[in-house]
Amino acid sequence: MFAGLDDIDWESLTHAYGSAADVPDWLRGLADPDPAVREQSLDAMYGAVHHQGDVYDSTVAAVPFLIEALTAPDLPGRAGIAELLTSIADIDGWQDAAELDEDGLEMLREATRANALACAAGPALARLVDDPDPAVRAAAPKLLVTVAATIPDLAALLISLLRTEDDAEARGGLFDALGSLPPDDDTIGELLALARSTPASTALTALIAVARSDPHRAPLDGVAGLIDRAYAEQGPAVEPAGFQTDTLVGAIRVMQEQEQQGRRAPHCTRLIEELTDPLGPRVAERIAIVTPLLASPHDDVAGDALFAANKLIDRWRGDYHETVTRIAGLIDRSPHLAQRAAGMLNNWGPVAAPAAGAAAGRLAALDALPWRDGLPEWTVRYSRDLPGLHPYVEILAGLGDERALPLLLTALRLPRRPQPTGYQLAHYPAHADRITAEIVRVFPVLSPGDETPLEWYGFQTALRAFGPAAAPAVPRLLASPLRDCTAGTLGRIGPAAAEALPALRVAAASDDPRLAVAAAGALWHIDRSPDTLALLTAQLDGPAAGAAFEAITEMGLAAATAAPLIATYLDAPPDRHWWTPARAALAWWRLTGDAERVAPVLTAAWHGNPQTRTKIARAATGALAALLEPLFRAELESNRRHNARENSWSSGQVTEDEQLLGLCRAVAGKST
């Protein structure tokens, strides 16, 4: 085993953290009799040799040894090796070469070499589908998809195996692989036939494969009942592995073991979202599947439906009132379900409104409990960091619900204040006087060189939201060395912050571009300083250019003399994310009122970078709104959230998308 492994000059090869001299030990460890050693080695391979999906020269050098270990009969750990090799050999997910920089192109070349090595071993890998180990049989089909060009009629092979495979995990692997292949009528026809078969879990996994191949051909009548029957099947109990390692792979394994504990059908874990995710734009039908399942008395069904609902709401627009109402009911179920539901609701902004009453009820119950260690039960305790706020508090605060305000004011008086308190208080501008007085009492005074406390940014956010009402905080803000964030806050306070003018004038001449721009903008808001425009235009090509453009935009007609300079940025080639032309166009619009000139630029930015859309929609009025109206109407007709990405996520993306929809409705409504 591993003949020639030590003949390779591994030290001259690299992985994510430098020399690959440690790779031989990890490769041997993948097949070690001790499962803990195997897990540690697998974690090291994912963490360094295949770090975040990257492929290095050491990764390519490891591929023949992975194949050797995988195809050696009776060797332990081969299912994990198959999954690792699948990830390395899969080149379909790589970006187009034209979109990659030189480092990315080199990675792609290495990935292509790794795939070629796996393809050369295609016949040997194909024999894994008959392996005695069901875990290997479950992992092998997806590996074969990565080398499909070397296996004649792979889809037919996988379909034929389904007729004889009796292990639920292995059958799931076959269906998963079939759903990854390019769809063809014969394969989909076979899958549709299996979707009408028994047991219910087989029918459900076949339906999932159809949905992944062609979401519009997946029949959905009676799906909720099919899911109920599948989840009610009795499956083999999942026994914990009986060992622990301090690795990410180990943590994921333990989490999966815990998730499967107590399930009636562990082989059905998370199948609800596996069905609904590929359905994509069939939003109303996805809602119709998920919503009734959220009311299931069985935690496995309700919990998996919750995961599916989260994916749906995060990425797609729809009528979620009833769905969220059902989710609100889960916060009175088991602690595990309640915690998960509360965490998801906290990310949905205004979409969470139907859950406000339930959250307020649970929050009142928490508030009635005795404090522990000097903290109320509606805080979240961390071992070393500042405490947090319970999601129930943040759900209500995000909605501006008055029932959370007394608790947030209490949080300000705690010796260890929850870090998000200031951010949440920003949602209560109607109580600005009272809140500002409390913030002034606790606002930290910093010395030069001090590290900025996390809560400091939250307090600034609240004061900025309060505008002139935050004037009593000005002396406290000036008690610390001026920073760009503070300068921005003073600008929002406006003329009531006149005592800050001397400090702001000094800061506007700072060598720190961000501080200089923030200070210059503040000078304009406080006393309409005539020096502001020159200070801002001097920063248009620097690291604070975005803030400089926005500050010039806020000056409006007073900055009209800068229009010729702004025009040069309209005609410049767009940057990668379209922010420079978008900001320049918005500034030009405010300075000149020339909608015809900027509409094409803003249209290109709207399509080139969806993140620009909220700023564009917020700025569009009058003639510009009329010219851009087709964009707003098209946005309202789309059911995908404008900021949803396949490989990224933000806790604020639902809130931001709902803001965009509101702006588009307002503009479109004025024209009807």
Side-chain angles (χ1 to χ4, degrees), residues 91-104:
I91 58 173
D92 286 343
W94 281 80
Q95 287 179 272
D96 186 88
E99 300 176 8
L100 297 172
D101 58 19
E102 186 53 45
D103 288 341

Side-chain angles (χ1 to χ4, degrees), residues 140-476:
K142 202 65 180 287
L143 174 58
L144 297 186
V145 171
T146 70
V147 297
T150 68
I151 302 173
D153 205 352
L154 177 58
L157 170 64
L158 299 178
I159 289 287
S160 68
L161 290 167
L162 279 170
R163 299 191 181 101
T164 57
E165 181 59 69
D166 57 5
D167 180 83
E169 183 182 7
R171 289 176 70 81
L174 291 166
F175 281 121
D176 188 29
L178 283 163
S180 302
L181 291 172
D184 65 75
D185 287 342
D186 289 343
T187 301
I188 291 178
E190 293 277 4
L191 290 171
L192 287 171
L194 288 166
R196 295 187 290 271
S197 66
T198 55
S201 59
T202 295
L204 180 57
T205 47
L207 190 59
I208 290 168
V210 174
R212 292 178 61 195
S213 295
D214 186 344
H216 296 285
R217 292 186 63 177
L220 302 179
D221 291 344
V223 165
L226 175 64
I227 292 170
D228 272 330
R229 294 194 301 277
Y231 275 63
E233 292 175 4
Q234 294 298 316
V238 176
E239 298 295 334
F243 67 93
Q244 292 184 337
T245 62
D246 186 20
T247 65
L248 178 59
V249 168
I252 293 172
R253 171 183 54 79
V254 170
M255 181 182 67
Q256 292 171 340
E257 290 172 352
Q258 291 173 344
E259 186 176 8
Q260 292 179 332
Q261 292 300 312
R263 283 180 172 269
R264 297 164 295 164
H267 56 287
C268 290
T269 301
R270 304 288 284 269
L271 288 190
I272 297 173
E273 66 186 281
E274 288 189 27
L275 171 63
T276 55
D277 281 3
L279 296 176
R282 298 176 68 175
V283 173
E285 291 156 297
R286 293 171 69 180
I287 292 173
I289 293 170
V290 168
T291 301
L293 295 174
L294 290 164
S296 171
H298 301 288
D299 280 4
D300 52 359
V301 174
D304 282 7
L306 181 58
F307 276 118
N310 184 49
K311 293 274 195 72
L312 180 55
I313 293 171
D314 271 346
R315 297 181 177 275
W316 299 90
R317 301 161 176 167
D319 181 359
Y320 295 119
H321 188 278
E322 181 61 26
T323 306
V324 173
T325 300
R326 296 282 180 93
I327 291 170
L330 297 180
I331 66 178
D332 288 320
R333 295 271 291 269
S334 68
H336 181 64
L337 269 182
Q339 180 182 21
R340 186 181 297 166
M344 293 177 182
L345 287 164
N346 191 28
N347 294 326
W348 297 340
V351 175
R362 295 300 301 153
L363 184 57
L366 288 176
D367 192 34
L369 296 175
W371 288 21
R372 289 186 297 116
D373 304 321
L375 291 172
E377 285 301 303
W378 41 263
T379 61
V380 180
R381 295 162 174 79
Y382 301 113
S383 57
R384 288 171 291 183
D385 296 330
L386 288 173
L389 292 168
H390 196 285
Y392 298 145
V393 180
E394 296 194 317
I395 291 166
L396 294 174
L399 297 168
D401 193 300
E402 298 279 334
R403 288 171 287 190
L405 182 57
L407 280 65
L408 291 170
L409 293 171
T410 298
L412 282 178
R413 293 184 170 272
L414 294 173
R416 297 180 66 237
R417 289 180 292 277
Q419 186 269 326
T421 304
Y423 294 106
Q424 300 304 334
L425 285 167
H427 296 290
Y428 296 93
H431 298 274
D433 293 344
R434 180 183 178 191
I435 296 170
T436 298
E438 291 290 331
I439 288 177
V440 167
R441 185 181 60 81
V442 299
F443 196 92
V445 175
L446 308 179
S447 298
D450 282 355
E451 184 177 347
T452 306
L454 289 176
E455 64 177 358
W456 187 85
Y457 295 102
F459 292 153
Q460 296 271 10
T461 299
L463 296 173
R464 198 172 298 187
F466 299 158
V474 171
R476 193 75 171 182

Side-chain angles (χ1 to χ4, degrees), residues 625-646:
L627 289 173
L628 299 182
E629 184 186 351
L631 297 179
F632 305 145
R633 291 199 176 277
E635 190 68 51
L636 292 173
E637 292 170 2
S638 171
N639 62 1
R640 185 162 178 85
R641 298 205 181 276
H642 80 284
N643 47 7
R645 297 289 180 274
E646 290 303 323

Side-chain angles (χ1 to χ4, degrees), residues 509-564:
S510 168
D511 292 334
D512 179 344
R514 289 177 175 80
L515 175 58
V517 167
L523 288 172
W524 171 257
H525 285 294
I526 293 172
D527 76 341
R528 296 298 192 258
S529 171
D531 300 328
T532 297
L533 186 58
L535 291 167
L536 293 172
T537 55
Q539 300 289 345
L540 288 179
D541 291 319
F549 274 117
E550 291 181 7
I552 291 170
T553 303
E554 290 174 0
M555 293 178 67
L557 293 176
T561 57

